[in-house]
Amino acid sequence: MRNAVIDRRTAETDIHCELNLDGEGISTISTGIGFFDHMMTLFAFHSSMNLVLEADGDLDVDDHHTIEDCGIVLGQTFRQAIGDRRGIARYGSFTLPMDEALASVNLDISGRPYLVFNCEFDRDSIGMMATEMVEEFLRAFAFNAGITLHVNLLYGSNDHHRAEAIFKALAHALKEAMHVNSDVLMSTKGMLE
């Protein structure tokens, strides 16, 4: 069973995360940021991961610490749950349309974190979530999960649709990459790091 639980408490946030990579897309999300909760619910559903993500953050300041720290904790939980990555497909790619928006996500569960983010938003925020936090969340997640992550928003005019396309495409690319299809470690080096 590929699952993990992590709790992380700082002076700015208190976060609890439970993750089952081989779930059914069931989630319980509560961060105090409605649009971010919506994105995490979609992420869990489309990746077929079971996810509990509960955060109590300093939202009186803004959304930055809560969303970034959720990315850190989710990344750490994913890295722990995926284990030594033996047998996984390792690579995942998905291009997803959301009405007029089209997003492409390509990733490698390599142990070598990197983020390429080619996306622009017109609005400063969607609900209570600053649009700049999409990139911050993805960076925190990728670097703590050990994932090389390329995110490209090809086009779109509605920022809600743009963000939703990104999170759904990420979910589907991860689902493809973490799929166990052998007992072979997908590296000629004999290790992923």
Side-chain angles (χ1 to χ4, degrees), residues 109-142:
I109 306 176
S110 62
R112 295 186 310 277
Y114 202 86
L115 175 67
V116 174
F117 185 80
N118 293 312
C119 309
E120 292 185 12
F121 296 97
D122 294 325
R123 294 163 55 181
D124 290 334
S125 63
I126 307 168
M128 290 177 54
M129 179 176 170
T131 51
E132 68 185 9
M133 291 312 300
V134 174
E135 181 175 5
E136 293 301 321
F137 169 80
L138 294 172
R139 179 177 295 107
F141 173 71

Side-chain angles (χ1 to χ4, degrees), residues 29-181:
I29 313 294
S30 178
T31 68
I33 305 164
F35 186 74
F36 183 60
D37 288 0
H38 179 45
M39 294 300 99
M40 290 291 90
T41 300
L42 294 171
F43 171 80
F45 180 82
H46 285 275
S47 65
S48 297
M49 289 188 270
N50 290 353
L51 173 63
V52 174
L53 183 62
E54 298 166 341
D56 182 15
D58 56 357
L59 296 180
D60 56 314
V61 175
D62 68 5
D63 60 339
H64 188 109
H65 298 143
T66 300
I67 294 174
E68 182 179 39
D69 287 6
C70 282
I72 290 169
V73 174
L74 181 61
Q76 291 172 345
T77 310
F78 181 88
R79 190 172 193 139
Q80 185 174 319
I82 201 77
D84 67 2
R85 300 178 284 278
R86 180 168 297 281
I88 64 168
R90 180 179 165 181
Y91 299 98
S93 298
F94 207 84
T95 300
L96 188 134
M98 177 66 196
D99 295 348
E100 86 298 340
L102 188 68
S104 177
V105 172
N106 307 78
L107 59 86
D108 176 8
I109 306 176
S110 62
R112 295 186 310 277
Y114 202 86
L115 175 67
V116 174
F117 185 80
N118 293 312
C119 309
E120 292 185 12
F121 296 97
D122 294 325
R123 294 163 55 181
D124 290 334
S125 63
I126 307 168
M128 290 177 54
M129 179 176 170
T131 51
E132 68 185 9
M133 291 312 300
V134 174
E135 181 175 5
E136 293 301 321
F137 169 80
L138 294 172
R139 179 177 295 107
F141 173 71
F143 274 69
N144 284 276
I147 293 173
T148 299
L149 178 60
H150 291 246
V151 180
N152 292 284
L153 179 68
L154 304 175
Y155 47 79
S157 58
N158 181 296
D159 281 343
H160 184 125
H161 295 163
R162 289 168 169 168
E164 190 165 327
I166 290 167
F167 278 90
K168 287 179 176 177
L170 171 63
H172 282 277
L174 270 175
K175 185 176 182 178
E176 180 180 306
M178 68 185 186
H179 177 72
V180 176
N181 56 17

